[in-house]
């Protein structure tokens, strides 16, 4: 092969078509070309020196794109020095330059006859200049970069052909400092074709890492890295400043810090893109947008959170990922249990929690005052928030459990409690809030204790005290009871006073003595608990004598006092001895007091108005004179012994109008009648007890003469019970009986014997409180037994009266206890007449023979036992009223005991009486009992029933009686109850005691 330029061209063409890759070269992104000979379509305009050295030749590449190449092949001649210089190349920011050469170089061996002159290398040189120097070429100024040799000039193919191999060599130049430079190729006698020259520098290319963009960065020439700060992409924020290092090789190293997509944007392809509709992203971060949670939506792109659907809400602390929720439904199944003035409310969890777990309960207390009738039996209640001192246990709001106790309510008051279940969104939806309401009426309750007592003034013999009304009066305070005693005597003897207001002056105290005092308030519900003991001391005796000269006086006074004391002592001892010898009943133990009347130690005593010479003096001592103009009579409610009984109103100046009962003395009365009529007021006026009818006052200075008492809405007990036959619970009946017993205890403590205790003389108010009334027959007990015989009494109520009172007029509290037993029987049989239609004579005889009334139908065994105890023949064996009250209290506390009825059970164990001491005649047979009792008006009809034994007879029902012709309800009841009594007695022992 020859070496002329044409043959070289051929070679070059071959090279182009066979060796150069078929696709355009894509340079690495971190390389920035400063010169690329292949990119030039026209002449490159490089300088060749001498002119017959390097030759610029046009060719085409594999795509037939024209390219420019240079070649030289003066291998035949010696001393070749052919230069090819590029155009001026601006350096730009590069410090280090890379020169990539693609060339072919002929192996000298492949060229015949060139040995000795042929070279296989050429030199690469450069020259830095500040400016383009045009065609000015200074060979000696160039600095050599390297001698370039072909690594493989020719390669043997399998077929034995020799093909030209394209060499690629890359050389680094730098650091450069001038604005530009030239490259030069020095040929010293080689056959070389310079196919392409590319000059480039390296950079770290623009990139986005961790959502921070880093710009194109040209590395330093030295070994050190360039620190580059990144900038957060759109819609993102720096979490930690993003940084990276650009290496000299144009590579990014060590990314530090990062950016996070803003709320409403998520990372997609290294950018922050808006969340799509139906999605949201509420926080900064590179997490994806989330789907809207249940009951929420987002209609727009880029939502930070989803909005709640209608009627659904989000509470303040709710995370955006939480479903929207709603207020819970109302609590269910509210149950209230009332205990006096407190109530326990219980309820069930609401059916719908609203989708939340943070449910709490709030209880709202309203006090509702009555119902305003609006014509058709319905009405509206006027309610107001409860007083702030109502206590909620554990609290009224934020309850986690489904129960609360509400205490310190007012007695006898209507309350409505609204119980609301609340959750975190209840406040957001006031209209959706629901509550369950329960309305209750509190029971009667005694006042709370007086807690604050103050001593105002003390002297030798007296002290003035004031106190504060109890915190919870639970009603109108009628008065206060002040009980005091000498500290040293330890309550063995005490004095009781009553005061209407909150102050009292205690007189007649011993000087220089310590006293203890307790106060308790009283309302219609009775006495409250006593205050804690309050101690006070009277002032010392100021009568102090110090000098020796006064010793004589002191001795004289001491002697005088001693004599007086001795006399008093003797007097008292004699008095006591006399009392003991006269008195048999423990109630009759008294000390002389004041007016010559008697009293138990520490207890006020009843004063018989008949002991007053002038009875009108008694009435004015114990009863308030009312002005008739303050009284308005409404209607007549009954007839009394001396005239009509009316209902009306009493309006005293600066007091509230109250309902009253007015007993009038009919015209044409005698003096004695007037005295007897007013005697009742004189007696009543001395009493002050919730179970004794209260006297408001009398009208004696104008006509008609009137006795005004509190009004008892339900009238007398016997007719009230008959009207409400079988309508009360056992506890209600026992409650009424307890009231009567309590009133009777008070009377017996006062030394008053009623003598006519019967259901007809008990009055009932609207709260079912029973009060003892009718003090017309009563007489004070006389210590002299003779006095009992001579007492005038008019008609004696045989059925209610104890045998000894009938027989020899021994009226005592024990005979009142007998009457109480009859009242007990009346109450338990709902107003049945004791001994039914038996004549008084038959009753006296039967009772004398030991027979007793049988238990009323369904009468609790304990109550029947109490009746029998009251009907003990020996009066000292009868229970005292104090014991009766305590038995009834026990029953009230343990209502289960009322379930055992007298008809089915044996006699209970906790008896007051020792049975062995009772006379217990045997029952005999059925006919005997009926004969003895002679109670059954339908005995004949009854005799038609075949009763072979008490057992079968006892099973007789009212239905059976109807069959034999006893159709009237009263006798039916009597017979059935008598038969049951008989049955119980045959099994447990006989009735008569
Ligand atoms: O059963 P009653 O309605 O109740 O009939 C008698 C009647 O007068 C004759 O005693 C009634 N009564 C007596 N005192 C009062 C009173 N304080 N309040 C209401 N009714 C009374 C009694």
């Amino acid at each position: 092969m020859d070496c002329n330029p044409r043959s070289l061209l051929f070679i070059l063409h071959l090279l182009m078509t066979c060796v150069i890759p078929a696709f355009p070269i894509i340079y690495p992104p971190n390389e920035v070309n400063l010169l690329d000979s292949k990119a030039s379509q026209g002449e490159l305009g490089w300088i060749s020196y001498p002119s017959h050295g390097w030759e610029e030749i046009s060719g085409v590449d594999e795509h037939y794109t024209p390219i420019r190449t240079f070649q030289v092949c003066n291998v035949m001649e010696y001393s070749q020095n052919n230069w090819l210089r590029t155009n001026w190349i601006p350096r730009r920011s590069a410090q280090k330059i890379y020169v990539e050469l693609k060339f072919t170089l002929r192996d000298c061996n492949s060229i015949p006859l060139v040995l000795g002159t042929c070279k296989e290398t050429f030199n690469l040189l450069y020259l830095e200049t500040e400016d383009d120097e045009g065609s000015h070429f200074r060979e000696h100024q160039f600095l050599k970069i390297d001698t370039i040799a072909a690594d493989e000039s020719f390669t043997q193919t399998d077929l034995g052909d020799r093909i030209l191999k394209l060499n690629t060599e890359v050389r680094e130049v730098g650091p450069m400092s001038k604005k530009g430079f030239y490259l030069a190729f020095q040929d010293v006698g080689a056959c070389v074709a310079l196919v392409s020259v590319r000059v480039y520098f390296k950079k770290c290319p623009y990139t986005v890492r961790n959502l921070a963009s880093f710009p194109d960065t040209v590395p330093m020439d030295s070994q050190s890295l360039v620190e580059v700060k990144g900038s957060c992409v759109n819609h993102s924020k720096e979490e930690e400043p993003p940084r990276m290092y650009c290496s000299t090789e144009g590579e990014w190293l060590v990314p530090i810090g990062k950016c996070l997509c803003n709320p409403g944007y998520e990372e997609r392809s290294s950018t922050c893109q808006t969340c799509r509709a139906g999605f949201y992203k509420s926080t900064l971060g590179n997490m994806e947008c989330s789907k809207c949670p249940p009951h929420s939506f987002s209609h727009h792109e880029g939502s930070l959170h989803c909005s709640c659907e209608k009627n659904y809400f989000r509470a303040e602390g709710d995370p955006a990922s939480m479903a929207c929720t709603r207020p819970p439904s109302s609590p269910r199944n509210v149950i209230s249990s009332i205990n006096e003035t407190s109530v326990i409310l219980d309820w069930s969890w609401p059916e719908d929690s609203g989708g939340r777990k943070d449910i709490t309960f709030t209880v709202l207390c309203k006090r509702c005052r009555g119902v305003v009738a609006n014509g058709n039996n319905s009405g509206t209640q006027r309610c107001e928030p409860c007083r702030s001192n109502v206590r909620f246990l554990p609290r009224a709001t934020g309850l986690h459990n489904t129960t609360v106790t509400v205490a310190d309510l007012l007695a006898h008051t209507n309350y409505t409690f609204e119980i609301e279940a609340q959750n975190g969104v209840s406040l957001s939806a006031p209209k959706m809030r629901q509550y369950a309401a329960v309305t209750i009426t509190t029971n009667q309750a005694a006042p709370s204790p007086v807690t604050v007592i103050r001593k105002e003034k003390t002297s030798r013999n007296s002290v003035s005290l004031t106190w504060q009304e109890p915190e919870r009066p639970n009603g109108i305070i009628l008065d206060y009871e002040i009980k005091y005693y000498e500290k040293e005597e330890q309550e063995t003897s005490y004095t009781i006073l009553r005061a209407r207001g909150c102050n009292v002056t205690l007189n007649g105290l011993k000087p220089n003595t310590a006293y203890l005092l307790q106060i308790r308030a009283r309302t219609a519900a009775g006495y409250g608990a006593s205050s804690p003991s309050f101690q006070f001391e009277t002032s010392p005796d100021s009568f102090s004598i110090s000098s020796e000269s006064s010793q004589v006086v002191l001795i004289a006074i001491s002697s005088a006092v001693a004599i007086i004391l001795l006399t008093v002592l003797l007097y008292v001892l004699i008095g006591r001895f006399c009392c003991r010898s006269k008195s048999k009943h423990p109630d009759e133990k008294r000390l002389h007091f004041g007016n010559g009347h008697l009293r138990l130690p520490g207890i006020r005593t009843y004063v018989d108005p008949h002991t007053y010479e002038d009875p009108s003096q008694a009435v004015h001592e114990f009863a308030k004179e009312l002005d008739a103009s303050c009284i308005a009579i409404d209607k007549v409610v009954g007839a009394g012994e001396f005239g009509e009984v009316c209902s009306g109103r009493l309006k005293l100046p600066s007091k509230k109008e109250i309902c009253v009962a007015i007993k009038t003395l009919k015209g044409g009365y005698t003096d004695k009648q007037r005295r007897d009529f007013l005697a009742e007021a004189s007696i009543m006026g001395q009493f002050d007890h919730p179970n004794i009818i209260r006297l408001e006052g009398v009208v004696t200075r104008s006509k008609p003469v009137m006795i005004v008492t509190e009004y008892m809405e339900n009238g007398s007990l016997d007719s009230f019970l008959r009207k409400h036959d079988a309508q009360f619970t056992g506890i209600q009946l026992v409650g009424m009986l307890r009231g009567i017993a309590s009133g009777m205890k008070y009377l017996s403590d006062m030394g008053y014997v009623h003598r006519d205790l019967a259901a007809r003389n008990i009055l009932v108010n609207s709260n079912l409180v029973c009060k003892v009334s009718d003090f017309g027959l009563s007489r004070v007990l006389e210590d002299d037994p003779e006095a009992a015989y001579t007492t005038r009494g008019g008609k004696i109520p045989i059925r209610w009266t104890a045998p000894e009172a009938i027989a020899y007029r021994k009226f005592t509290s024990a005979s009142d206890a007998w009457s109480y037993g009859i009242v007990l029987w009346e109450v338990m049989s709902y107003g049945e007449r004791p001994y039914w239609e038996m004549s008084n004579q038959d009753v006296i005889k039967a009772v004398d023979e030991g027979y007793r009334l049988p238990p009323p139908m369904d009468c609790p065994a304990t109550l029947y036992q109490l009746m029998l105890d009251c009907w003990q023949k020996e009066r000292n064996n009868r229970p005292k009223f104090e014991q009766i009250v305590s038995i009834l209290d026990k029953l009230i506390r343990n209502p289960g005991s009322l379930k055992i009825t007298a008809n089915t059970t044996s006699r209970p164990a906790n008896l007051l009486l020792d049975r062995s001491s009772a006379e217990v005649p045997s029952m005999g047979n059925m006919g005997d009992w009926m004969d003895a009792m002679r109670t059954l008006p339908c005995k004949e009809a009854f005799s038609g029933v075949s009763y072979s034994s008490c057992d079968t007879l006892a099973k007789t029902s009212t239905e059976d009686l109807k069959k034999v012709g006893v159709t009237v309800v009263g006798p039916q009841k009597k017979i059935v109850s008598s038969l049951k009594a008989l049955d119980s007695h045959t099994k447990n022992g006989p009735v008569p005691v």
Side-chain angles (χ1 to χ4, degrees), residues 637-639 645 661 693 709-712 715-716 719 763:
V637 293
V645 181
I693 195 85
T709 64
E710 66 179 305
Y711 185 68
M712 301 293 282
S716 53
S719 53
L763 291 166

Side-chain angles (χ1 to χ4, degrees), residues 523-770:
T523 63
Y527 281 104
S530 293
S531 66
S533 287
F534 175 79
Q535 182 170 334
F536 64 88
E537 279 102 33
T538 46
S539 310
D541 206 332
S542 57
F543 197 67
S544 70
I545 299 157
S546 55
S547 71
E548 315 93 61
S549 61
S550 33
Q551 272 183 8
V552 182
V553 182
L554 191 63
I555 292 163
I557 292 171
S558 309
S559 312
V561 169
I563 290 164
I564 293 166
L565 279 176
L566 257 174
T567 319
V568 169
L569 194 68
L570 264 174
Y571 179 76
V572 168
L573 280 175
I574 293 164
R576 271 205 180 163
F577 176 77
C578 294
C579 291
R580 267 199 201 130
S581 61
K582 284 175 187 174
S583 147
K584 288 189 184 94
H585 197 274
D587 283 359
E588 295 162 21
K589 277 184 207 159
R590 302 206 184 145
L591 288 176
H592 281 278
F593 170 74
N595 243 345
H597 299 297
L598 306 169
R599 73 163 199 169
L600 282 170
I603 294 182
R604 217 155 52 92
T605 311
Y606 153 77
V607 179
D608 182 1
H610 292 95
T611 60
Y612 281 73
E613 269 175 39
D614 175 6
S616 67
Q617 190 198 334
V619 81
H620 287 120
E621 188 162 321
F622 300 117
K624 184 157 75 180
E625 179 71 31
L626 302 172
D627 195 315
S629 64
C630 301
I631 302 163
I633 294 179
D634 290 336
K635 62 174 183 203
V636 176
V637 293
E641 198 187 331
F642 298 95
E644 286 154 340
V645 181
C646 307
S647 67
R649 284 155 292 126
L650 172 69
K651 171 77 185 84
L652 292 176
S654 71
K655 288 242 170 107
K656 252 179 38 193
E657 185 178 82
I658 55 165
C659 289
V660 288
I662 305 142
K663 279 189 178 181
T664 54
L665 177 62
K666 58 181 174 253
Y669 51 82
T670 62
D671 261 5
K672 183 176 176 304
Q673 278 173 325
R674 184 178 189 273
R675 242 193 345 261
D676 286 349
F677 176 73
L678 288 175
E680 184 177 13
S682 308
I683 297 166
M684 227 190 296
Q686 298 181 50
F687 303 142
D688 189 0
H689 188 274
N691 297 104
I692 304 290
I693 195 85
R694 189 181 66 247
L695 178 74
E696 294 295 343
V698 290
V699 178
T700 60
R701 296 193 178 128
S702 61
K703 284 186 184 162
V705 174
M706 295 186 254
I707 297 176
V708 181
T709 64
E710 66 179 305
Y711 185 68
M712 301 293 282
E713 294 82 349
N714 283 313
S716 53
L717 178 62
D718 60 336
S719 53
F720 174 67
L721 288 171
R722 282 194 280 270
K723 213 164 27 181
H724 297 282
D725 191 8
Q727 286 175 17
F728 298 117
T729 62
I731 283 288
Q732 279 175 313
L733 295 175
V734 175
M736 291 189 240
L737 288 164
R738 197 260 179 217
I740 302 165
S742 174
M744 288 308 296
K745 175 189 178 296
Y746 174 84
L747 293 182
S748 72
D749 285 350
M750 289 276 284
Y752 178 83
V753 179
H754 192 287
R755 302 184 185 209
D756 195 11
L757 179 59
R760 65 180 170 281
N761 289 328
I762 304 293
L763 291 166
V764 188
N765 74 8
S766 55
N767 295 325
L768 292 195
V769 177
C770 289

